[in-house]
Amino acid sequence: MDPKIKKQIRKVVNLLKNCNSILFVTGAGISADSGLPTYHGIGGLYNQKKTDEGIPIEIALAGQTLQTKPEITWKYLLQIEKRCRNTTFNRAHEVIAKLEKKFNRVWVLTQNIDGFHKKAGSNNVIQIHGDMHKLICPKCNWEKEVKDYSHIKKIPPICPNCKNFIRPDVVFFGEMLKEKNIQIFNREVSKGFDIYFSIGTTNTFPYIQEPIFKANQTNKPTIEINPSTTEVSDIIDIKIPAGAAETLDEIWNLYNQIT
């Protein structure tokens, strides 16, 4: 590892020694070491080109398209899910779960719909965009947790109760965030944290930027782990331009050495 990055990691660990609470804000980059693409929107598989129907992937995966042409939305959901199948959490997710057990209060705000944080053992997770492994019926109370979509043979899949089409419990383009997740988000962010991490996210959405801006305004330390420059990089206290899994593993090992 680059000596400059190691120096930054030591600074982070020294800050952690005096902390009781941590917020991790995570995006697609934290799952890159699991083999998942860091999507443009949700469609890195379709960067710089349109779908078979001649529309952008964001339109194919929009809530309005799901309502009017669910077969199109499901066509690309199946392609994306198949690309992600048989992947699992990586060392970055594991370290965050371990840190939850070390500190008094640790929360994860994730944009990812892969469910890896919970699978790795984190309990305090706000999946602000939902979880692709939970299927629901928008017309009745039917819901089901699934490992993958391999059982889906006909699209759109139909609810066994009311015969309406079902959907993943995720926020599609153009849809509102779930009120329950917003309430948890507002509750925890309003309490404040001793230190804030932004990991593998471009920080495009205002509600993802918000905790970092709050930290900046209240003089709380902020750390960004991302090889790229993002929307909040210019206000971050410690920038680590490296991968999430390697960096968090180094932070974990050093923290345990000196505490």
Side-chain angles (χ1 to χ4, degrees):
M1 181 174 281
D2 188 301
K4 291 181 180 179
I5 292 179
K6 284 193 172 185
K7 184 178 179 180
Q8 296 292 73
I9 286 173
R10 186 167 290 275
K11 287 181 181 178
V12 173
V13 171
N14 285 332
L15 287 170
L16 285 172
K17 288 191 297 183
N18 301 311
C19 292
N20 289 309
S21 59
I22 309 171
L23 176 66
F24 292 98
V25 181
T26 70
I30 198 170
S31 295
D33 286 316
S34 295
L36 270 63
T38 51
Y39 297 130
H40 163 61
I42 198 172
L45 302 174
Y46 310 97
N47 277 350
Q48 308 304 321
K49 63 180 181 180
K50 293 186 177 181
T51 61
D52 296 340
E53 291 75 20
I55 58 176
I57 189 63
E58 291 86 353
I59 299 300
L61 296 175
Q64 181 64 31
T65 305
L66 179 67
Q67 291 293 324
T68 58
K69 297 181 178 179
E71 67 281 359
I72 291 180
T73 302
W74 267 103
K75 173 183 175 180
Y76 293 100
L77 281 174
L78 290 179
Q79 289 183 13
I80 292 170
E81 190 279 329
K82 187 175 181 180
R83 172 65 179 82
C84 301
R85 198 175 298 170
N86 301 320
T87 57
T88 190
F89 58 84
N90 62 56
R91 183 59 176 164
H93 302 97
E94 288 179 340
V95 169
I96 291 174
K98 288 178 180 293
L99 289 169
E100 185 181 301
K101 296 176 174 63
K102 283 270 190 178
F103 290 81
N104 290 338
R105 178 170 159 259
V106 174
W107 277 85
V108 178
L109 168 64
T110 187
Q111 300 165 81
N112 300 340
I113 61 173
D114 51 39
F116 286 169
H117 282 294
K118 288 193 172 183
K119 289 179 182 177
S122 289
N123 294 307
N124 301 328
V125 183
I126 305 169
Q127 298 180 116
I128 200 71
H129 293 160
D131 188 335
M132 66 187 296
H133 299 103
K134 183 180 180 181
L135 299 178
I136 61 171
C137 176
K139 294 294 184 181
C140 71
N141 293 325
W142 182 90
E143 60 181 49
K144 184 179 181 180
E145 296 282 343
V146 297
K147 179 182 178 182
D148 56 45
Y149 294 174
S150 60
H151 65 287
I152 296 175
K153 306 301 181 185
K154 183 179 179 181
I155 58 173
I158 302 300
C159 173
N161 288 347
C162 70
K163 307 307 178 185
N164 186 64
F165 69 86
I166 60 175
R167 58 172 287 172
D169 190 20
V170 302
V171 179
F172 288 99
F173 290 102
E175 292 186 329
M176 300 291 289
L177 300 176
K178 283 202 168 185
E179 185 62 31
K180 179 182 177 181
N181 288 334
I182 294 174
Q183 289 175 355
I184 298 172
F185 169 80
N186 288 335
R187 182 191 72 203
E188 296 304 323
V189 171
S190 67
K191 292 178 183 177
F193 293 86
D194 294 330
I195 191 168
Y196 295 71
F197 285 80
S198 173
I199 305 175
T201 172
T202 56
N203 290 286
T204 302
F205 299 112
Y207 51 87
I208 298 301
Q209 299 173 6
E210 182 183 335
I212 303 301
F213 284 123
K214 178 181 175 64
N216 185 258
Q217 292 164 1
T218 55
N219 296 314
K220 297 296 183 181
T222 53
I223 295 92
E224 182 172 53
I225 302 172
N226 199 319
S228 304
T229 300
T230 77
E231 296 287 337
V232 299
S233 293
D234 59 341
I235 64 167
I236 289 290
D237 295 315
I238 300 175
K239 169 75 174 181
I240 302 178
E246 181 184 21
T247 302
L248 283 169
D249 186 57
E250 287 284 333
I251 289 172
W252 173 257
N253 291 335
L254 185 57
Y255 179 80
N256 283 293
Q257 287 174 19
I258 65 176
T259 57

